[in-house]
């Protein structure tokens, strides 16, 4: 049976929370001059959307201008990015094609995989950060469907957020003849 595993990267295979929080804190501090320590506490308790809204900062502007992504190799060295337990033992046991999906840039996603040594365990990488193209938009699901050489009989979609589950629903629409599609929320 041909299986396709669709695996979300951030917070499913890899913990990037600390590195992302650091970048968000630095971005807001650049715009406002506020103390990073105070901003970090606020972001942890209220989240990015609330922090940006409170300061009147447009989210698109924040990510296009103020937010500077972390360097994956440096973050791995510092220990602010790491794989969750059992990832290295679990991935080789998954018999079938493995595709990693991420709402990050293609380059950043590939760097995270390489920095952690996960690149050798996956067959495809699909990443998109633009809202209209990122998960759960059907765009990434369509890109995945067009890229696959062999159509799967079963898709197992694994993620940690609602958008990952919605992405699984988009896959269902694109592969109506599937024997089975499982959507697993971690």
């Amino acid at each position: 049976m041909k299986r396709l595993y669709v695996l979300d990267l951030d917070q499913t295979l890899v913990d990037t929370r600390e590195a992302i929080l650091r970048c968000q804190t630095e971005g807001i501090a650049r715009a406002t001059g506020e103390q990073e320590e105070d901003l970090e506490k606020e972001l942890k308790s209220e989240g990015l959307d609330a922090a940006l809204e409170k300061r009147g900062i447009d989210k698109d502007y924040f990510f296009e201008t103020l937010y500077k992504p972390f360097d994956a190799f440096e973050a791995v060295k510092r220990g602010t990015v790491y794989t969750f337990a059992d990832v290295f033992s679990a991935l080789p046991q998954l018999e079938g094609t493995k595709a990693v999906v991420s709402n990050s840039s293609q380059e950043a996603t590939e760097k995270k995989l390489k920095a952690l040594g996960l690149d050798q365990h996956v067959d495809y990488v699909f990443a998109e950060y633009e809202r209209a193209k990122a998960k759960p938009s059907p765009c990434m699901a369509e890109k995945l469907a067009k890229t696959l050489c062999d159509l799967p009989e079963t898709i197992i979609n694994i993620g940690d957020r609602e958008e990952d589950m919605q992405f699984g629903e988009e896959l269902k629409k694109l592969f109506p003849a599937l024997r089975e599609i499982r959507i697993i929320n971690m």
Side-chain angles (χ1 to χ4, degrees), residues 15 18 74-82:
D15 190 335
E18 191 176 333
E74 285 300 315
V76 168
K77 281 183 200 172
R78 285 192 311 268
T80 58
V81 170
Y82 54 90

Side-chain angles (χ1 to χ4, degrees), residues 36-76:
E36 289 184 17
E37 189 175 295
D38 296 334
L39 285 169
E40 188 172 311
K41 288 177 187 172
E42 180 182 341
L43 285 166
K44 282 181 179 177
S45 66
E46 299 176 31
L48 178 64
D49 290 342
L52 293 177
E53 186 176 323
K54 180 178 177 179
R55 290 159 182 82
I57 300 172
D58 178 71
K59 193 171 185 176
D60 289 333
Y61 173 75
F62 176 77
F63 281 109
E64 291 167 9
T65 308
L66 302 173
Y67 183 86
K68 305 292 184 232
F70 61 87
D71 178 276
F73 291 94
E74 285 300 315
V76 168

Side-chain angles (χ1 to χ4, degrees), residues 1-8 12-13 91 93-101 144 148 151-159 164-165 167-169 171-172 175 178-186:
M1 178 180 3
K2 291 185 259 180
R3 280 196 178 139
L4 170 64
Y5 292 91
V6 179
L7 306 156
D8 173 57
T12 301
L13 299 177
L91 282 178
Q93 293 179 32
L94 301 178
E95 293 183 19
T97 303
K98 296 174 226 39
V100 166
V101 293
L144 185 148
L148 292 176
L151 290 180
E153 294 173 11
T154 301
I155 295 178
I156 300 170
N157 181 66
I158 303 171
D164 300 322
M165 303 308 99
F167 184 68
E169 296 299 327
L171 290 171
K172 277 185 182 180
F175 296 95
L178 281 178
R179 187 188 297 167
E180 175 184 22
I181 183 162
R182 283 186 249 164
I183 302 171
I184 301 170
N185 189 3
M186 302 292 287

Side-chain angles (χ1 to χ4, degrees), residues 58-155:
D58 178 71
K59 193 171 185 176
D60 289 333
Y61 173 75
F62 176 77
F63 281 109
E64 291 167 9
T65 308
L66 302 173
Y67 183 86
K68 305 292 184 232
F70 61 87
D71 178 276
F73 291 94
E74 285 300 315
V76 168
K77 281 183 200 172
R78 285 192 311 268
T80 58
V81 170
Y82 54 90
T83 60
F84 286 110
D86 302 327
V87 167
F88 283 105
S89 60
L91 282 178
Q93 293 179 32
L94 301 178
E95 293 183 19
T97 303
K98 296 174 226 39
V100 166
V101 293
S102 178
N103 280 357
S104 188
S105 73
Q106 186 76 22
E107 179 184 8
T109 302
E110 289 173 356
K111 281 184 178 179
K112 283 182 242 178
L113 290 168
K114 188 170 179 89
L116 291 161
L118 290 172
D119 55 331
Q120 59 192 321
H121 297 286
V122 299
D123 303 296
Y124 296 100
V125 177
F126 298 94
E128 186 58 66
Y129 63 91
E130 288 182 40
R131 239 185 258 182
K133 296 178 183 176
K135 293 180 292 175
S137 161
C139 293
M140 197 180 316
E142 290 167 3
K143 192 174 172 182
L144 185 148
K146 288 177 186 173
T147 304
L148 292 176
C149 298
D150 295 325
L151 290 180
E153 294 173 11
T154 301
I155 295 178

